[in-house]
Amino acid sequence: MTLAKRAAAVGAVALAVASLQPVSANAADTRVVGGTPAAQSEFPFMVHLSMGCGGALYKKDVVLTAAHCMEGSGPNRSITVTAGVSDLNSAAAIKVKSTKVKVAPGYDGSGKDWALIKLARPIDKPTLKITTTTRYNRGMFTIAGWGDPSEGAGTGTTKLQKATVPFVADRVCKRHYGNQLISKEELCAGWQRGATDTCQGDSGGPMFRKDDAGKWIQVGIVSWGDGCARTGVPGVYTEVSTFAKDIARAASAL
Ligand code: ARG
């Protein structure tokens, strides 16, 4: 655990350090840095969480998100999950409450940044398959979310933004993060030039690509980064392949 990763994210000064904090529940919904609007139904598995995080439908009644967006495991009816829309204000928005949360076993604020949310009722939208192997941990990834449009913005649109970022090898990612990066549990993505990245409010959302069959497959979960979209500073994502079995097991037990 490093100091930087535990730092609070609210405020420009705090945002200058790597942060795991989601935007607060009363912060405006915002967007990916350097993205473009996603079309309605382009990513039908994407969901928005009321505390200001993203997520993806893992099952019709289970959302995969980041542990750092959750307050812990157990019964929880306080989260509102919004699905089925790219514009959160759309009349077509499907809103479902949580019933339970399961945070990754052993999660302590560093690595293992995944959690599952059980929904009060199933959402009739396509789910996003997660990768069970490391073979897709390369190439170009799609990121999407309602998070900040620039570092420190704290405000933004209600429209889902998307962007494409390349895989960054651990060795390269460590040039910036050193041992803050937990290689087996985290994977990095981003352009050397910066300008495009996930940011505060995108946490918990999926990072995904096409599999060999041309279907979307989830490889990452938005976790943390040093600021947003800075030159030479990749975003850090939970390495889904590492936890695929644990996630499947936890989902069955939920
Ligand atoms: N921790 C942030 C959140 O809770 C996500 C930060 C991602 N940062 C990045 N530079 N990719 O919303």
Side-chain angles (χ1 to χ4, degrees):
M1 172 50 51
T2 65
L3 237 184
K5 283 175 74 176
R6 290 257 176 168
V10 183
V13 175
L15 281 168
V17 298
S19 175
L20 274 165
Q21 304 303 309
V23 290
S24 63
N26 58 1
D29 300 305
T30 49
R31 54 185 161 156
V32 165
V33 179
T36 57
Q40 171 60 18
S41 304
E42 189 172 358
F43 308 122
F45 43 76
M46 276 292 309
V47 303
H48 176 268
L49 308 181
S50 50
M51 84 294 291
C53 279
L57 276 183
Y58 174 73
K59 293 186 179 183
K60 302 266 185 206
D61 62 349
V62 178
V63 168
L64 177 59
T65 185
H68 82 266
C69 291
M70 300 294 111
E71 277 167 6
S73 297
N76 185 326
R77 299 191 175 270
S78 72
I79 304 166
T80 302
V81 175
T82 303
V85 288
S86 77
D87 183 343
L88 296 175
N89 290 335
S90 162
I94 301 167
K95 290 183 189 276
V96 178
K97 287 279 185 187
S98 60
T99 59
K100 244 192 211 181
V101 168
K102 175 68 182 179
V103 166
Y107 173 71
D108 67 355
S110 185
K112 301 179 179 53
D113 195 8
W114 65 266
L116 295 172
I117 303 169
K118 177 88 170 181
L119 304 178
R121 59 179 175 86
I123 292 175
D124 191 19
K125 290 289 168 188
T127 56
L128 178 59
K129 209 172 13 151
I130 66 172
T131 186
T132 56
T133 73
T134 57
R135 64 180 306 178
Y136 298 116
N137 297 347
R138 66 197 64 186
M140 299 294 291
F141 302 134
T142 299
I143 48 175
W146 292 271
D148 280 354
S150 63
E151 183 177 331
T155 60
T157 181
T158 54
K159 299 232 171 77
L160 182 65
Q161 299 288 307
K162 62 167 178 177
T164 303
V165 285
F167 169 76
V168 172
D170 289 337
R171 169 183 49 83
V172 175
C173 197
K174 285 193 170 203
R175 284 182 201 150
H176 182 76
Y177 291 115
N179 290 333
Q180 277 187 85
L181 183 74
I182 303 172
S183 305
K184 269 182 281 192
E185 302 185 359
E186 297 173 326
L187 124 177
C188 303
W191 302 95
Q192 164 61 29
R193 66 169 181 271
T196 304
D197 195 6
T198 44
C199 198
Q200 268 55 38
D202 292 320
S203 279
M207 179 167 76
F208 47 99
R209 53 163 282 169
K210 293 281 177 75
D211 68 8
D212 294 336
K215 295 271 210 177
W216 290 123
I217 192 158
Q218 183 171 1
V219 298
I221 300 169
V222 180
S223 184
W224 61 282
D226 189 359
C228 304
R230 296 183 186 181
T231 305
V233 183
V236 184
Y237 298 79
T238 308
E239 192 164 319
V240 166
S241 57
T242 299
F243 300 108
K245 281 202 181 105
D246 296 339
I247 292 168
R249 202 174 304 126
S252 307
L254 201 63

